[in-house]
Amino acid sequence: MCVSYPEAFATHYERWAADMTDDIPFYVALAQEADGPVVELAVGTGRVAIPVARAIDRKVIGIDSSPAMLDQARQAGGDLLDLRLADMRTLELDEPAALVYCPYRALLHLPAWADRRLLFERVSEALLPGGRFAWNAFAFDHQIAARLDGERQAEPIPHTLRYSVGESRVDIALDSGDTSSLWWATKNEWLGLIEVAGLEVEALYGWFDRRPFDDDSREFVWVTRTPTP
């Protein structure tokens, strides 16, 4: 299966992501602690990677499967990024990374456990000993799903959300008919992926201000790492 992010969504990405700003200082802080290459998966337009590269004063490797997204990233700050057109599930690096991160819930575009397991294993193999893998994803909330299911929303661009709870999937349908899908995961499912990839949990936060994850949290913010000898 392909990553679920049609090119039609790339045109409006900055509007979709306009409300998500808290993640930038979080990923910047991780990158500043990284003694080695820094890699962003699903780099998109460079919304996070460009501030990260400026903060660490070296290039960030940015991987994305969308040519349209990479074109925008290149125009926004291509001299700060080492941009690569690739499927993140086939991650290969010239040298081991100190930090790999995947912001803005992009891992949820991978539809199956097998896709995510492959990615986690590739990331684990690509990291230095003690290297970090960080990402964020929403925590599914039945009440939010019930409220939003089938509702047409005008912002940031006209769209309708359709939830398929049995499939753990939400479809974002534009008025044009183009659809992007997200497959959510539970805490235990994330922990299973971490374990099979041989990673260790360093922290699980409930938001980018590093508040603890609890029953009221609506976002998983994970920081994992490879074991050190």
Side-chain angles (χ1 to χ4, degrees), residues 15-228:
R15 292 171 65 183
W16 283 112
D19 291 338
M20 179 64 83
T21 58
D22 290 352
D23 59 344
I24 294 175
F26 177 81
Y27 289 115
V28 163
L30 292 180
Q32 289 174 324
E33 296 171 356
D35 184 15
V38 173
V39 181
E40 180 174 327
L41 303 179
V43 69
T45 63
R47 178 186 67 86
V48 178
I50 291 171
V52 167
R54 287 178 176 147
I56 64 176
D57 197 28
R58 62 181 189 273
K59 285 193 174 186
V60 170
I61 298 169
I63 295 171
D64 208 292
S65 60
S66 166
M69 289 288 219
L70 290 176
D71 284 344
Q72 293 182 59
R74 199 168 287 111
Q75 293 170 19
D79 58 327
L80 298 169
L81 307 174
D82 176 358
L83 296 171
R84 304 179 186 184
L85 178 65
D87 186 327
M88 59 184 170
R89 291 167 294 187
T90 60
L91 177 67
E92 291 185 10
L93 300 175
D94 299 328
E95 60 179 307
L99 171 66
V100 177
Y101 67 95
C102 188
Y104 202 45
R105 305 165 179 165
L107 290 184
L108 300 187
H109 290 294
L110 297 175
W113 166 271
D115 294 302
R116 295 178 187 178
R117 175 173 181 168
L118 176 60
L119 171 63
F120 273 60
E121 290 173 341
R122 287 296 185 98
V123 170
S124 181
E125 293 168 0
L127 285 170
L128 290 163
R132 285 166 157 169
F133 178 34
W135 71 96
N136 64 283
F138 69 79
F140 176 71
D141 185 307
H142 285 274
Q143 292 182 332
I144 293 175
R147 175 167 53 85
L148 297 179
D149 187 37
E151 289 283 334
R152 184 179 182 275
Q153 300 181 52
E155 298 295 336
I157 61 173
H159 68 283
T160 302
L161 297 178
R162 300 190 179 95
Y163 285 83
S164 179
V165 176
E167 299 292 334
S168 300
R169 188 186 76 242
V170 56
D171 299 323
I172 307 169
L174 303 183
D175 287 359
S176 64
D178 293 294
T179 301
S180 179
S181 299
L182 299 166
W183 287 262
W184 63 81
T186 65
K187 179 181 177 181
N188 281 338
E189 287 171 326
W190 289 121
L191 288 171
L193 288 165
I194 292 165
E195 181 177 0
V196 297
L199 296 166
E200 300 173 348
V201 177
E202 179 179 319
L204 170 58
Y205 303 113
W207 193 246
F208 300 104
D209 57 6
R210 301 183 184 239
R211 72 186 68 168
F213 186 89
D214 59 27
D215 290 344
D216 296 322
S217 298
R218 293 297 171 264
E219 193 78 17
F220 295 109
V221 182
W222 292 93
V223 181
T224 65
R225 65 192 315 146
T226 54
T228 53

